[in-house]
Amino acid sequence: MLGRRQRLTGFLGGAFSLVAIGIFVGVAILALLHYGGEGGLTVLFSDPLLLSVLRFTLLQAALSTALSVILAIPVARSLARQTRFLGRMWVIRLMAVPMGLPVLIGALGLIGIWGRQGLINDGLLLLGKAEPVSIYGLGGILLAHVFFNLPLAARLMLAGLERLPSEYWLMSATLGMKSGAIFRFIEWPALRPLIPGIAGLVFMLCATSFTLVLILGGGPAATTLEVAIYQALRFDFDPERAVSLAFLQIAVTALILVAMALFPAPAEHGKTLGRPPRRFDGLGLKARLSDGTALVAAVLFLTLPLGAVVVAGLRADLLKLLTEEAFLRAAATSLAIALGSALSALLLALATNHAQTVISLLRRPSLTMKGISLLLSGVSSLVLLVPTIVLATGWFMALRSMGDIASFAPAVVVGINALMALPFVMRVVAPALATHRAATGRLVFSLGIAGFSKLRLIDWPLLKKPLLTALSFAMALSLGDLGAVALFGSEKITTLPWLIYNRMGQYRTNDADGLALILGLICLLLTLAGTTGAQSRKDDVENAGPV
């Protein structure tokens, strides 16, 4: 169903994606190899500090994963059992907020609740406890990771529980099964295949955490590999140590990805009569109380830091901050970088997907074509193997020989943020494109519509919603990122997260709180712009019908 011209553009787009990503990542890796040399690789096995940082990285990731997964089980179970209470949909939507929240803002919110001057310590002081609870160090890192990852784990578990056939609940009610028996024989068998994948994803996020550890870490005793890389270049200027840490980070992420690939995919449940699931085990008073307690605790745990950001931000002089030259310059830089990285990620995603589609439609694809398709799938998720701080380190080392690093920094940050957003953009764009091709491909081919006419009449009306969603999400992700700009931040390149971090370092907490609120509102508006204002798919199909 693809003409010669479409096949040619598909191959060229795939080649462009491979070359662009290969060059960008390859330059960083080659620079690390060049500046690391044999000494950089040898020190991996001889420096006790590196081993200490590695141990802490794995320890905090393992503890954070265990806490996030274990605490997510009662939350997911409560949401699955209580399907009819007022506000349930808002609770589920609340679980998605930390995933789209800039990490720096979440850290400030947690400090507002758990910090020395926070709500928890104020309450403990009223109860007569003189020694405040410290959020800095391992405890604070674990708390922050649970704040961001518990909702993710709970949503994935809830999806698994909601896929259970309704006949399971009818049978459990007929047999009079108690809560413990239902969990043992129905819920746990559904959750058990999901937990390894969920735990692997959370472990990866925690092992590559940068901003949270940078803000809440307690010095050398609470430093992860990514923060140690930043410190080695930014403060100590020890390129050899930074390169050694970068290779160690790549090795850790590679092992995690291999371990995740070994987990089998969850099996689908048996056939069902198609009835909507209705549970009977959550109707009793005891079940309602236990589920209500779990949900109220989860809601408070998530909303209190968000409320702290709003309250603290409103105390700042927002009008003054909005008119400051530093803010205007940082906002312009952040928006330019965010738009550039989002458009780059979207372009790479569309080119990669089109090339994979062209190869899949070949009658007899050669081994070379199959290899290219597999390679395209791999490079779109390459940032999982080579984290952003490692890419930034490689480019930092590569640009040192050119003198003025700041002149090239914006383009490098755009590229790093584009690669960071690419896996998420692919997850939004690929299913939408597959559905669109299945619905319109034969008709478009039979009518001979191509080029700009196809884009205007067929593609854009049906694909504008997922494309705008992917674009806005990629922009919000770039706007809130501190890791890519951490090594390049200076007077010549200052983004909003870097400005907030600088104000925190200067103990100008009121300004930092106000800027955090402004950044959060910008990210929220971007998210709303991508998910609202577009027509439903049904309306789009009707409007695009008479072609």
Side-chain angles (χ1 to χ4, degrees):
M1 294 189 296
L2 294 178
R4 182 178 179 181
R5 183 177 179 181
Q6 290 177 306
R7 289 196 298 269
L8 180 60
T9 57
F11 292 139
L12 291 177
F16 168 78
S17 298
L18 286 176
V19 171
I21 297 175
I23 291 177
F24 190 83
V25 177
V27 168
I29 298 298
L30 288 175
L32 292 175
L33 289 170
H34 175 71
Y35 282 94
E38 295 180 0
L41 297 176
T42 304
V43 77
L44 287 175
F45 306 99
S46 59
D47 192 337
L49 180 59
L50 294 186
L51 297 178
S52 174
V53 171
L54 176 60
R55 282 195 298 268
F56 181 81
T57 301
L58 299 178
L59 173 65
Q60 62 84 21
L63 293 176
S64 299
T65 301
L67 289 173
S68 299
V69 171
I70 292 172
L71 294 176
I73 292 176
V75 175
R77 194 177 181 222
S78 299
L79 284 171
R81 289 206 299 184
Q82 306 300 329
T83 59
R84 298 176 182 268
F85 69 89
L86 184 64
R88 181 178 183 270
M89 184 54 64
W90 289 105
V91 174
I92 295 176
R93 289 175 179 173
L94 176 65
M95 295 290 172
V97 171
M99 289 181 280
L101 184 72
V103 176
L104 186 59
I105 297 178
L108 287 174
L110 290 169
I111 292 174
I113 298 299
W114 299 89
R116 182 176 291 272
Q117 306 295 330
L119 184 64
I120 299 298
N121 277 318
D122 288 346
L124 293 176
L125 187 62
L126 292 176
L127 296 176
K129 181 176 175 59
E131 186 68 23
V133 175
S134 177
I135 193 177
Y136 299 100
L138 178 60
I141 293 171
L142 297 181
L143 179 70
H145 281 158
V146 172
F147 173 80
F148 280 97
N149 295 311
L150 183 150
L152 172 62
R155 283 174 64 92
L156 295 175
M157 291 180 187
L158 176 62
L161 291 175
E162 289 182 336
R163 287 195 296 266
L164 287 171
S166 59
E167 290 76 22
Y168 285 19
W169 311 120
L170 290 172
M171 183 63 68
S172 65
T174 302
L175 297 175
M177 296 174 66
K178 301 296 183 182
S179 177
I182 290 176
F183 179 77
R184 179 183 176 186
F185 295 107
I186 299 179
E187 292 175 319
W188 178 244
L191 293 176
R192 185 173 55 203
L194 300 175
I195 286 179
I198 295 173
L201 175 61
V202 173
F203 190 91
M204 171 69 80
L205 294 173
C206 296
T208 57
S209 177
F210 174 76
T211 304
L212 288 177
V213 182
L214 182 65
I215 302 279
L216 302 176
T223 299
T224 58
L225 289 170
E226 296 209 358
V227 174
I229 294 171
Y230 167 76
Q231 292 171 342
L233 285 179
R234 192 79 185 187
F235 300 120
D236 304 330
F237 197 72
D238 188 347
E240 184 174 305
R241 182 183 297 276
V243 170
S244 301
L245 289 163
F247 282 120
L248 193 56
Q249 179 71 72
I250 293 175
V252 169
T253 52
L255 289 175
I256 297 172
L257 290 174
V258 170
M260 291 176 62
L262 295 178
F263 295 132
E268 292 294 331
H269 298 287
K271 293 183 178 180
T272 175
L273 297 179
R275 298 191 184 99
R278 181 187 176 190
R279 298 188 59 162
F280 304 93
D281 55 320
L283 303 178
L285 179 61
K286 183 178 179 181
R288 289 178 183 272
L289 287 175
S290 63
D291 292 341
T293 301
L295 293 177
V296 168
V299 168
L300 289 176
F301 180 65
L302 297 177
T303 55
L304 285 178
L306 300 177
V309 171
V310 174
V311 172
L314 292 176
R315 289 175 182 169
D317 191 345
L318 295 178
L319 183 60
K320 177 186 174 183
L321 290 174
L322 288 171
T323 55
E324 279 187 2
E325 182 183 353
F327 167 78
L328 295 175
R329 187 169 59 250
T333 302
S334 291
L335 289 173
I337 290 175
L339 181 60
S341 62
L343 289 173
S344 300
L346 189 60
L347 177 63
L348 288 172
L350 291 174
T352 300
N353 184 268
H354 186 45
Q356 290 176 314
T357 302
V358 169
I359 294 174
S360 67
L361 293 178
L362 294 176
R363 292 183 179 180
R364 294 180 180 179
S366 63
L367 290 177
T368 302
M369 288 297 172
K370 292 180 180 179
I372 292 176
S373 179
L374 187 62
L375 194 59
L376 286 169
S377 300
V379 296
S380 63
S381 300
L382 195 59
V383 72
L384 299 177
L385 176 62
V386 187
T388 56
I389 192 66
V390 176
L391 287 174
T393 302
W395 273 98
F396 184 89
M397 304 303 294
L399 294 175
R400 282 182 62 209
S401 60
M402 299 183 182
D404 189 8
I405 294 177
S407 300
F408 302 95
V412 173
V413 174
V414 166
I416 292 175
N417 284 344
L419 285 183
M420 177 181 64
L422 184 57
F424 303 99
V425 173
M426 286 289 292
R427 286 181 178 271
V428 175
V429 169
L433 290 175
T435 303
H436 173 66
R437 282 191 295 267
T440 64
R442 292 183 181 275
L443 178 62
V444 168
F445 181 76
S446 63
L447 295 177
I449 302 175
F452 182 75
S453 297
K454 178 176 179 294
L455 176 65
R456 181 175 64 88
L457 298 174
I458 305 297
D459 296 334
W460 177 247
L462 298 178
L463 292 175
K464 63 181 178 182
K465 184 174 181 179
L467 292 179
L468 289 175
T469 298
L471 185 70
S472 62
F473 183 80
M475 286 189 67
L477 195 64
S478 177
L479 272 175
D481 179 64
L482 179 62
V485 79
L487 292 178
F488 301 101
S490 64
E491 293 182 358
K492 294 184 178 181
I493 174 171
T494 300
T495 62
L496 285 176
W498 183 248
L499 182 62
I500 295 171
Y501 180 67
N502 278 341
R503 296 292 169 90
M504 292 174 63
Q506 297 168 1
Y507 298 101
R508 298 169 64 179
T509 54
N510 285 339
D511 287 357
D513 292 333
L515 292 170
L517 178 60
I518 294 171
L519 176 60
L521 291 176
I522 294 174
C523 292
L524 178 62
L525 290 175
L526 278 173
T527 303
L528 293 176
T531 56
T532 60
Q535 294 174 310
S536 67
R537 184 167 183 81
K538 179 179 178 181
D539 293 337
D540 286 336
V541 173
E542 291 175 354
N543 292 337
V547 178

